[in-house]
Amino acid sequence: MSGERIVIVGSGQAAIQLAASLRQEGHEGPITLIGDEPGLPYQRPPLSKGYMKEGDPERLVLKPQSFFERNAITLCDATRVASIDRAARTVATDDGATHGYDQLVLATGARNVRPPIAGGTHSDVVELRTLAHAETIRRRLADTRHAIVVGGGFIGLEFAAMARLAGARVTVLESADRLMARAVSPAISDFVLAHHRAAGIAIRLGAKVARIDDEAERVVGVTLADGTGIEGDLVLVATGVAPNGELAAAAGLVVANGIVVDETLATGDPAISAIGDCASVPGPLGTHLRLESVQAAMDQARHLAKRIVHGTAAAYHAVPWFWSDQGALKLQIAGLTSGADRFETIRQEELVTVIIGYRDGQLASVETINAPGEHMAARKLLGREAPVGVDELRDSGFDLRALAKGQAGSRDRSVASA
Ligand code: FAD
């Protein structure tokens, strides 16, 4: 097993973690990472946060050059994998090379998608996924007077907060009736909306952008479906992503909102696995889901490394968690809000809130704003073997931290309810 040739397609968060974990687990064979972006692999979360201010690409690097040398990991950057030959167990790259594998791992991530909006072919219309995108935006931001953000999801709102702090006027246009609707409870949407509006960001809900308007090679604003015109000189389109599954589909693997894998993260071909943003993994109640988060990329990579090196067939299971920094707000989510049938606010102060989501009377998610202690406790509780019921939470006075501490030894109700 440990002499096998492993080829990883992609060189993002999941790919790098996998390469590191394979060596940590004792894999001795060749590891080759093939990624189509140039340079050393980097982390994406700061691109919409601190990087806009600092602009230091060195701080984004996931592993230095010495890591690849020390661990005998071959990194082929700026190289695209064009096809997979499953019978021959090779991949072909766009520079004409062929790489043989015993195990192939697809960690191809996702790419931005843009809804049908007319116009907007100029450089003032930007997107944000890569370091190159972030650099373009950072340079433009210095002389932007009014930034228009199409899409009130995590990335659009993180950028909006940064742009506002940089002194620009900012308008966010969201077509749904609330912010971040796919991933957070209505109460969190409302809390964040109120905060951003108070910080001077204009936010329009139910606002469908029909056209990006330009004049003499410059963007001058957008027009909404109802005919309303909004003037602006920079437009960020942040309307979600689609998984990069074409390579897998062309090789005959099942792709349905991501490359479909089983609970061991293998595709229908036992020699090919998929992890990270591109993978559709088994979720609760027989569903399949794709999690676009650093946690999922890293936990799936660690899990897969164990299977490849030790042949363990354990099912992948990890508590999903996520964060988003938006100005003065640190939003953290543990568990899955999508499966919750009821939400309850258990703490609310000016810049702080904690909201519990239940599914069938059991703890399913905890959303926190500026409450990192509760977030960490929630991750422990959601990872507990016995589900946490509504009665147990009530008995503890909704003290998540005390409940989580009780988990370590014999749970002490007197502490929990003190
Ligand atoms: P990626 O990091 O996207 O890496 C995939 C790589 O594969 C890419 O470089 C891609 O170009 C390459 N590739 C694709 N096809 C090929 C091919 N055929 N050949 C070669 N290479 C190929 N998550 C959080 O948890 N918290 C956050 O606060 C957060 N903030 C974010 C902010 C931004 C601006 C962005 C863009 C993402 C953010 N995320 C955040 C999400 C997180 O960064 C992703 O979930 C994570 O990067 C997924 O890692 P990955 O390795 O699966 O994919």
Side-chain angles (χ1 to χ4, degrees), residues 315-392:
Y316 169 72
H317 174 75
V319 175
W321 57 268
F322 184 82
W323 81 96
S324 174
D325 297 335
Q326 301 178 21
L329 306 184
K330 185 169 197 72
L331 166 63
Q332 293 173 294
I333 305 168
L336 291 173
T337 51
S338 53
D341 49 40
R342 187 167 74 84
F343 293 101
E344 186 172 10
T345 302
I346 61 164
R347 194 176 157 198
Q348 175 109 35
E349 292 143 40
E350 197 194 344
L351 281 177
V352 180
T353 193
V354 179
I355 294 167
I356 287 185
Y358 301 100
R359 183 173 53 235
D360 297 331
Q362 291 173 351
L363 184 69
S365 64
V366 178
E367 300 162 285
T368 59
I369 288 179
N370 294 337
E374 273 95 340
H375 170 73
M376 293 308 293
R379 278 162 52 180
K380 273 195 193 157
L381 291 169
L382 286 161
R384 209 174 77 171
E385 213 164 301
V388 181
V390 63
D391 291 342
E392 190 179 355

Side-chain angles (χ1 to χ4, degrees), residues 12 20 27 36 62 67 97-98 110 114 116 151-152 168 177 202 240 252 307 333 348 352 396 404:
H27 180 75
D36 59 5
L62 281 164
F67 163 83
T98 300
R114 182 173 154 174
D177 59 1
R307 166 158 71 71
I333 305 168
Q348 175 109 35
V352 180
S396 76

Side-chain angles (χ1 to χ4, degrees), residues 9-16 34-37 42-49 79-82 107-110 112 128-130 155 158 244 247 275-278 291-295 297 321-325:
V9 187
S11 57
Q13 194 93 44
I16 290 297
I34 308 172
D36 59 5
E37 291 188 69
Y42 60 91
Q43 46 178 321
R44 300 187 196 281
L47 296 179
S48 48
K49 307 177 182 77
T79 307
R80 185 163 187 78
V81 173
T108 49
N112 292 334
L128 182 47
R129 174 80 195 174
T130 66
I155 291 173
E158 287 176 2
N244 290 323
L247 192 61
I275 54 174
D277 279 14
C278 70
L291 295 166
E292 295 155 14
S293 72
V294 167
Q295 168 274 322
W321 57 268
F322 184 82
W323 81 96
S324 174
D325 297 335

Side-chain angles (χ1 to χ4, degrees), residues 6-45:
I6 297 171
V7 172
I8 306 171
V9 187
S11 57
Q13 194 93 44
I16 290 297
Q17 183 61 50
L18 177 64
S21 295
L22 283 166
R23 286 291 184 243
Q24 275 158 16
E25 295 293 334
H27 180 75
E28 288 168 0
I31 301 175
T32 305
L33 266 92
I34 308 172
D36 59 5
E37 291 188 69
L40 287 171
Y42 60 91
Q43 46 178 321
R44 300 187 196 281

Side-chain angles (χ1 to χ4, degrees), residues 136-218:
T136 302
I137 297 174
R138 214 181 62 78
R139 270 190 267 111
R140 287 283 288 105
L141 203 51
D143 51 36
T144 294
R145 281 170 293 117
H146 186 184
I148 296 176
V149 180
V150 184
F154 295 117
I155 291 173
L157 293 172
E158 287 176 2
F159 168 79
M162 287 305 301
R164 185 78 196 110
L165 286 172
R169 257 182 78 204
V170 183
T171 298
V172 176
L173 303 170
E174 168 56 53
S175 60
D177 59 1
R178 64 186 182 90
L179 298 174
M180 302 171 289
R182 267 191 322 131
V184 305
S185 62
I188 288 287
S189 296
D190 292 348
F191 190 100
V192 171
L193 176 71
H195 176 78
H196 287 320
R197 281 186 171 157
I201 298 173
I203 299 181
R204 289 186 186 217
L205 301 173
K208 212 164 177 263
V209 177
R211 194 174 67 237
I212 298 174
D213 302 311
D214 31 49
E215 213 171 67
E217 301 297 304
R218 280 199 65 80

